Amino acid sequence: MHAVGIVAAAGSGLRLGAEMPKALVLLGGRPLVCWAVESLRAGGVADVVVAVPAPQHAAFAAVLPADVHVVVGGDTRTASVRAALAAAGEHADAPGPSAVLVHDAARPLTPPDVVARVLAALAAGALAVVPVLPVVDTTVVVGDDGVVTADVPRSTLRRVQTPQGFDRATLVAAYARVHGAAAEFTDDASVVRAAGVAVHTVAGDERARKITVAHDLLTAEREVAP
Ligand code: CTP
Ligand code: MG
């Protein structure tokens, strides 16, 4: 099955607070976006499209492998993936069923095994698949006043990671259904679920966690230290 990878790298990284877009921040001497592209490739995805912030287009093109397609992203993650998906369609000439894997640049240490599990689920017929992990902490609902209002049974809860895999036509159709400023989703599985598509799950991996705040980057640096 021919799979195209999309890496969402067009965010600014406000919570990380670096002086550059988060995806350009170095981990073990390499920009986060390069780690994410490498994970996809090591897991079996050949072609990769990366959505980047417009002002840093040249900076991203300079650090990414020459055969990666760099496109300008949007104001939201949803808009960035939409832009990359349009560009990925330009290369949709491979025969047979095709897949799209959408990944966050902010998940640099995603093991290739996770990518391979997502691809395997698609090959087995799933139209949408996400890597998930159990919730291990007690989980509650808190009101505006900071007081707990309810316990949430955690046995059915999962944390959702990337890369998320889709049948290409299913993802394109789902994105075509959602438009405008209100069409903001935190991930791509929510977009296809909004279109009524069943989203399957495979095992995620703690190493695929997202780099959001400075502490996450420090922890990741320790993991890649020689
Ligand atoms: N992203 C994107 N386009 C946007 C916003 C986010 O491609 N307009 C990407 C980010 O680059 C990141 C992924 O979506 O790889 C997950 O988003 P997040 O962790 O929230 O990154 P940022 O939006 O960059 O960080 P922050 O929310 O702290 O500003
Ligand atoms: Mg963000």
Side-chain angles (χ1 to χ4, degrees), residues 8-16 22 74-77 80 104-106 210:
S12 51
L14 282 179
R15 288 169 290 179
L16 187 62
K22 180 161 71 178
D75 289 341
T76 62
R77 187 186 182 283
S80 296
D104 289 329
K210 192 157 71 74

Side-chain angles (χ1 to χ4, degrees), residues 57-222:
H57 188 284
F60 275 87
V63 298
L64 285 164
D67 58 347
V68 164
H69 188 144
V70 182
V71 301
V72 172
D75 289 341
T76 62
R77 187 186 182 283
T78 307
S80 296
V81 173
R82 189 190 293 280
L85 193 54
E90 292 164 15
H91 306 283
D93 47 9
S98 67
V100 178
L101 265 64
V102 188
H103 194 29
D104 289 329
R107 299 182 187 273
L109 300 182
T110 303
D113 282 1
V114 177
V115 179
R117 284 196 285 276
V118 170
L119 284 173
L122 293 171
L127 296 178
V129 58
V130 295
V132 298
L133 288 175
V135 172
V136 294
D137 294 311
T138 294
T139 302
V140 297
V141 179
V142 178
D144 288 342
D145 57 0
V147 175
V148 173
T149 55
D151 297 314
V152 182
R154 70 181 174 210
S155 60
T156 61
L157 298 181
R158 301 290 183 273
R159 293 176 285 145
V160 179
Q161 302 184 313
T162 74
Q164 301 185 350
F166 306 92
D167 166 68
R168 176 205 294 276
T170 301
L171 186 62
V172 168
Y175 263 86
R177 284 179 81 253
V178 294
H179 284 294
E184 197 179 328
F185 297 79
T186 56
D187 72 351
D188 307 286
S190 325
V191 177
V192 303
R193 263 184 43 78
V197 177
V199 176
H200 295 259
T201 62
V202 294
D205 192 299
E206 292 293 352
R207 290 167 290 183
R209 73 186 174 280
K210 192 157 71 74
I211 305 251
T212 305
V213 296
H215 173 78
D216 302 329
L217 190 61
L218 283 174
T219 311
E221 284 287 5
R222 279 199 292 272

